[in-house]
Amino acid sequence: MGPAARLAAVLALLALRAGEPARAAARGDTFSALTSVARALAPERRLLGLLRRYLRGEEARLRDLTRFYDKVLSLHEDSAIPVSNPLLAFTLIKRLQSDWRNVVHSLEASENIQALKDGYEKVEQDLPAFEDLEGAARALMRLQDVYLLNVKGLARGVFQRVTGSVVTDLYSPRRLFSLTADDCFQVGKVAYDMGDYYHAIPWLEEAVSLFRGSYGDWNTEDEASLEDALDYLAFAYFQAGNVSHALSLSQEFLLYNPDNRRMARNVLKYEKLLADGPNHMVAEAVIQRPNVPHLQTRDTYEGLCQTLGSQPTHYQVPSLYCSYETNSSPYLLLQPVRKEVIHLDPYMILFHDFVSDSEAQKIRELAEPWLQRSVVASGEKQLPVEYRISKSAWLKDTADPVLLTLDRRIAAVTGLDVKPPYAEYLQVVNYGIGGHYEPHFDHATSPTSPLYRMKSGNRIATFMIYLSSVEAGGATAFIYANLSVPVVKNAALFWWNLHRSGEGDGDTLHAGCPVLIGDKWGHLPLETEDVPAKMEKPRPLLVLL
């Protein structure tokens, strides 16, 4: 990169930091926030308009082709066509030499198609990238795992947990949205390409089943076929150790495509393996779910997510209680906050109706143009990761009066100073398809954390406000405290991250469970330790969900 190019890049970066929202979020991050997914509807509406114009042009062309077909057919249906008639002989030669060529190479068809292609290319940069398709497919697998969802049910649009012979409906949609064979194939292929046969096999099995049921029907939009699904599924079973089933699927493939030499060689290979070692005769492959090395608490985490909220009531624990809270603050005297103590160690409070619908909507609107892929601290770097799927935006309290009002309310109810340098900026988060954040601490656990580089001290407390509701999933699971708090619209969840000694509270390990159905927004202010006035002032962190 030359000096001029470097200068242009620096100026562009400075311009963005100076106040330009990140409207043109990187392609490949669409799946990581539902608000970004919703924005993808606009270019699709433009494509629908282009397709409508194309169809009208094609309908006119097809009417003309039908007229030509009927005219020629009527001549052939008359068995007494006198070719000796010079006029008929001439028109036959003309049709075969000229008319048919013009029909086959119809200029109208080319023009219609070109107009559609030109229109598509104009909106192509606004469309999701292939990385978004991969991310969305992985999200379906994540939901499948965490909520024990049945793949066949998902393909029919039904969200059912299957444990042994027990089937539980987790969510009943008002309208069923079923998946096509090609949809299931794409999910299975993403898993296959990752070498994840645990997920690839059930999705490819469903794709094969659906392709079999519609064999002979061709959909223009489909990328795959029954042969493709059989091909991938056969090799997935082979990789999983089930040679017998790989052989039967490969033989079925050859029924549809007998000239495929590669598959014919695979059949011979599988037959030889079975002849040499009868141990390969496996009725069903036993495949282990891929291990997640960094997630040692996976079983507990997923169990808490499956409860869809499990905090105890005061009937179970008498020391838990509800009250109207003023915290001796004049600000809350006329309108106390509805306080519910939901856990004692660590101490957790849920403040109901902490924000109004209009305040929640305003904060979402302020944050949406600035949303970018959420990151986590990795050593001294901050990186996007698979175990945190969301987009975040940071808002100063000067961005709008509603944020100043919110700051005063938080300070009044907690007694904490939420202005710089004692807190971080307001962080607003929107979760994506199957959006989640696996078990983590809000406080820094390493001296290399960016928090210490900012000289802001560690995070004392978390104040998390739910700016929306969800229909299923999305609970906040506290792993060692063994409870999960469901998303309560407009409520705020508060807990201390540090002990009085300043040491981190290990019992605050928590996770944002994958959102099953709904659009989860949150805001979370994180309070930092006191710092001397002459130190560099840290930025306050506030996060809204």
Side-chain angles (χ1 to χ4, degrees):
M1 181 185 293
R6 284 197 297 272
L7 177 60
V10 171
L11 290 175
L13 181 60
L14 289 175
L16 178 60
R17 289 180 174 175
E20 287 298 321
R23 293 184 183 276
R27 294 183 69 207
D29 278 341
T30 299
F31 78 98
S32 60
L34 283 191
T35 186
S36 299
V37 177
R39 282 201 294 270
L41 290 170
E44 186 170 47
R45 281 194 287 269
R46 294 198 293 273
L47 289 174
L48 280 174
L50 292 167
L51 185 58
R52 182 177 62 250
R53 289 193 289 273
Y54 168 76
L55 289 173
R56 288 173 178 171
E58 286 296 280
E59 286 168 357
R61 188 178 73 88
L62 288 173
R63 284 195 297 271
D64 191 51
L65 289 175
T66 301
R67 176 200 52 76
F68 175 78
Y69 171 84
D70 291 341
K71 180 182 76 172
V72 177
L73 181 63
S74 65
L75 293 173
H76 282 264
E77 287 177 342
D78 185 354
S79 57
I81 296 178
V83 180
S84 57
N85 183 324
L87 297 177
L88 290 175
F90 169 78
T91 56
L92 172 62
I93 292 172
K94 175 182 175 294
R95 282 201 309 276
L96 295 176
Q97 198 283 325
S98 175
D99 293 1
W100 277 101
R101 185 178 68 248
N102 290 338
V103 166
V104 172
H105 302 286
S106 170
L107 289 176
E108 289 80 7
S110 299
E111 290 169 359
N112 287 338
I113 291 172
Q114 192 59 48
L116 181 61
K117 287 182 176 178
D118 290 344
Y120 175 81
E121 289 172 358
K122 289 179 181 178
V123 301
E124 189 173 11
Q125 64 181 359
D126 298 325
L127 303 180
F130 180 70
E131 290 82 356
D132 289 303
L133 177 60
E134 289 182 315
R138 290 195 297 270
L140 291 183
M141 298 176 218
R142 183 184 313 124
L143 295 174
Q144 170 193 347
D145 289 343
V146 173
Y147 297 110
L148 303 178
L149 298 178
N150 178 267
V151 171
K152 283 189 174 295
L154 282 175
R156 299 195 314 270
V158 176
F159 296 84
Q160 293 178 326
R161 179 191 300 148
V162 180
T163 51
S165 59
V166 179
V167 178
T168 306
D169 287 328
L170 296 183
Y171 172 73
S172 299
R174 290 184 294 273
R175 177 184 172 190
L176 291 181
F177 292 91
S178 57
L179 299 178
T180 67
D182 193 64
D183 294 335
C184 295
F185 173 82
Q186 292 299 337
V187 178
K189 185 176 180 297
V190 168
Y192 177 96
D193 289 342
M194 296 189 299
D196 176 6
Y197 306 112
Y198 175 89
H199 290 105
I201 286 177
W203 285 100
L204 291 172
E205 284 275 20
E206 189 61 21
V208 166
S209 176
L210 292 171
F211 273 128
R212 283 173 180 153
S214 62
Y215 192 76
D217 296 331
W218 180 71
N219 295 323
T220 306
E221 67 272 18
D222 285 353
E223 183 176 321
S225 64
L226 175 58
E227 292 92 323
D228 293 322
L230 287 168
D231 190 359
Y232 278 85
L233 182 58
F235 197 73
Y237 268 114
F238 169 70
Q239 289 292 91
N242 194 333
V243 181
S244 177
H245 201 39
L247 173 61
S248 64
L249 291 166
S250 301
Q251 289 170 333
E252 182 181 354
F253 176 99
L254 289 175
L255 293 176
Y256 302 107
N257 190 353
D259 297 328
N260 190 294
R261 295 182 180 180
R262 177 179 57 80
M263 190 60 76
R265 289 194 298 269
N266 284 352
V267 166
L268 293 175
K269 175 183 177 180
Y270 299 152
E271 288 175 338
K272 186 175 186 305
L273 285 172
L274 291 172
D276 294 344
N279 290 334
H280 290 294
M281 294 292 290
V282 181
E284 183 178 353
V286 179
I287 315 167
Q288 296 296 320
R289 178 177 165 189
N291 187 32
V292 184
H294 70 273
L295 189 54
Q296 299 175 353
T297 57
R298 182 172 71 181
D299 292 343
T300 303
Y301 156 59
E302 293 182 351
L304 288 168
C305 290
Q306 289 160 18
T307 64
L308 305 181
S310 65
Q311 76 273 23
T313 67
H314 71 280
Y315 297 106
Q316 297 166 310
V317 183
S319 53
L320 302 180
Y321 64 92
C322 296
S323 65
Y324 284 96
E325 180 66 58
T326 65
N327 199 26
S328 302
S329 169
Y331 187 79
L332 300 175
L333 189 61
L334 296 179
Q335 191 174 2
V337 177
R338 296 168 59 202
K339 172 183 174 181
E340 178 185 1
V341 179
I342 61 173
H343 204 266
L344 298 178
D345 189 15
Y347 188 65
M348 299 181 201
I349 300 172
L350 193 65
F351 296 107
H352 292 268
D353 297 318
F354 191 79
V355 295
S356 65
D357 287 342
S358 60
E359 287 174 326
Q361 181 179 348
K362 181 63 177 179
I363 294 170
R364 293 196 302 265
E365 290 172 353
L366 289 170
E368 186 171 353
W370 301 89
L371 289 172
Q372 296 189 52
R373 179 69 181 271
S374 299
V375 296
V376 300
S378 178
E380 296 186 359
K381 297 181 179 179
Q382 295 199 356
L383 303 171
V385 289
E386 180 66 19
Y387 58 85
R388 186 184 188 189
I389 300 298
S390 62
K391 285 187 176 181
S392 306
W394 300 78
L395 299 178
K396 294 182 179 180
D397 57 7
T398 55
D400 191 270
V402 72
L403 301 181
L404 285 170
T405 301
L406 185 60
D407 274 356
R408 286 196 295 268
R409 194 178 306 151
I410 294 170
V413 78
T414 63
L416 297 172
D417 190 341
V418 297
K419 291 194 174 296
Y422 303 109
E424 297 165 87
Y425 288 141
L426 207 67
Q427 185 185 13
V428 183
V429 181
N430 181 223
Y431 286 82
I433 303 171
H436 72 144
Y437 193 175
E438 288 182 357
H440 63 282
F441 293 105
D442 281 349
H443 61 275
T445 57
S446 167
T448 61
S449 168
L451 278 176
Y452 291 110
R453 291 206 311 276
M454 291 192 304
K455 302 178 183 177
S456 61
N458 211 341
R459 291 171 176 164
I460 295 174
T462 295
F463 197 91
M464 184 166 66
I465 306 172
Y466 298 108
L467 297 178
S468 66
S469 61
V470 298
E471 296 178 73
T476 304
F478 289 83
I479 311 306
Y480 299 134
N482 195 33
L483 82 153
S484 58
V485 183
V487 175
V488 180
K489 184 182 179 184
N490 296 346
L493 181 62
F494 173 80
W495 69 88
W496 298 101
N497 292 311
L498 306 181
H499 294 295
R500 288 184 179 275
S501 65
E503 294 296 316
D505 187 345
D507 287 339
T508 62
L509 184 72
H510 65 284
C513 296
V515 178
L516 185 57
I517 302 291
D519 187 6
K520 182 181 176 183
W521 285 80
H523 157 59
L524 199 146
L526 296 175
E527 182 75 10
T528 61
E529 289 183 311
D530 292 348
V531 294
K534 58 184 178 182
M535 275 192 171
E536 178 185 348
K537 291 186 177 181
R539 297 186 174 189
L541 168 63
L542 303 173
V543 182
L544 296 175
L545 300 177

